[in-house]
């Protein structure tokens, strides 16, 4: 029996390593399939699970964040998207690219929800994203602040 354990131990480690790697890609593929089927609310859940998976620490997760934000947008769950963005910005150190993208979508969600003032507040300092400048101008037009609209362009 002792000899059996000596031989099975390395195989068990290889199996666990392979299974976690397989699960990693499987989870992302599953989320992508849900997104492709337009089941955006469930895709959001799966993408968020993928983000918090310890195996993904150190990976570039920009595409995953983008898919989450697109899912919120395409499902018209703007308030849910705003809440998600605010919690992400508060909780963790994010790369500048991801933070810029989150702020852009937050402004877009505010604008789509009928809150151009809030959109302008979010987008005002987000001049890194070219579309943010356009959304900021649209917010100013909604608010009938023509002078600010001209200056933002």
């Amino acid at each position: 029996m002792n000899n059996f354990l000596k031989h099975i131990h390395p195989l068990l480690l290889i199996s666990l390593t392979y299974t976690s790697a397989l699960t990693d890609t499987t989870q992302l593929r599953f989320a992508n399939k849900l997104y492709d089927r337009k089941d955006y609310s469930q895709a959001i859940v799966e993408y968020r699970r993928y983000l918090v998976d310890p195996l993904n620490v150190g990976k570039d997760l920009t595409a995953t964040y983008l898919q989450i934000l697109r899912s919120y947008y395409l499902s018209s769950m703007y308030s849910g998207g705003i809440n998600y963005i605010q919690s992400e910005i508060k909780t963790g150190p994010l790369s500048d690219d991801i933070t810029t993208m989150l702020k852009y979508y937050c402004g877009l969600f505010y604008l789509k929800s009928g809150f151009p003032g809030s959109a302008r507040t979010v987008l005002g300092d987000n001049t890194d994203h070219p579309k943010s400048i356009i959304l900021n101008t649209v917010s100013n037009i909604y608010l009938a602040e023509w002078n600010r609209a001209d200056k933002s362009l």
Side-chain angles (χ1 to χ4, degrees):
M1 183 70 173
N2 215 3
N3 196 19
F4 174 75
L5 290 176
K6 286 181 184 177
H7 293 290
I8 197 71
H9 185 67
L11 293 175
L12 184 60
L13 286 175
I14 291 169
S15 174
L16 289 174
T17 304
Y18 179 72
T19 303
S20 62
L22 179 66
T23 305
D24 179 37
T25 59
T26 303
Q27 185 177 15
L28 187 57
R29 283 187 302 164
F30 180 60
N32 287 335
K33 287 287 185 191
L34 290 168
Y35 180 87
D36 292 342
R37 291 181 188 164
K38 299 180 184 348
D39 188 357
Y40 301 118
S41 59
Q42 195 59 40
I44 290 167
V45 171
E46 295 304 321
Y47 284 126
R48 289 179 73 171
R49 280 189 186 150
Y50 181 77
L51 284 178
V52 298
D53 189 334
L55 294 173
N56 297 325
V57 173
K59 290 184 180 179
D60 181 15
L61 299 171
T62 306
T64 306
Y65 276 103
L66 182 60
Q67 286 300 89
I68 291 170
L69 297 171
R70 285 178 177 167
S71 296
Y72 276 115
Y73 180 79
L74 292 171
S75 63
S76 300
M77 296 189 319
Y78 307 127
S79 62
I82 291 167
N83 291 335
Y84 171 72
I85 291 166
Q86 290 173 342
S87 70
E88 284 297 303
I89 289 175
K90 285 180 188 175
T91 57
L94 300 167
S95 71
D96 290 343
D97 291 341
I98 291 174
T99 303
T100 299
M101 181 175 51
L102 289 173
K103 286 183 178 181
Y104 162 73
Y105 270 92
C106 190
L108 177 63
F109 293 158
Y110 273 125
L111 198 56
K112 295 291 281 182
S113 299
F115 298 105
S118 298
R120 185 178 64 195
T121 302
V122 171
L123 296 168
D125 64 341
N126 193 15
T127 57
D128 295 334
H129 200 291
K131 291 180 183 177
S132 294
I133 297 168
I134 294 168
L135 286 179
N136 194 15
T137 303
V138 170
S139 298
N140 288 325
I141 291 170
Y142 269 115
L143 294 168
E145 295 188 8
W146 313 112
N147 293 337
R148 289 182 86 165
D150 286 342
K151 289 178 186 176
S152 62
L153 287 176

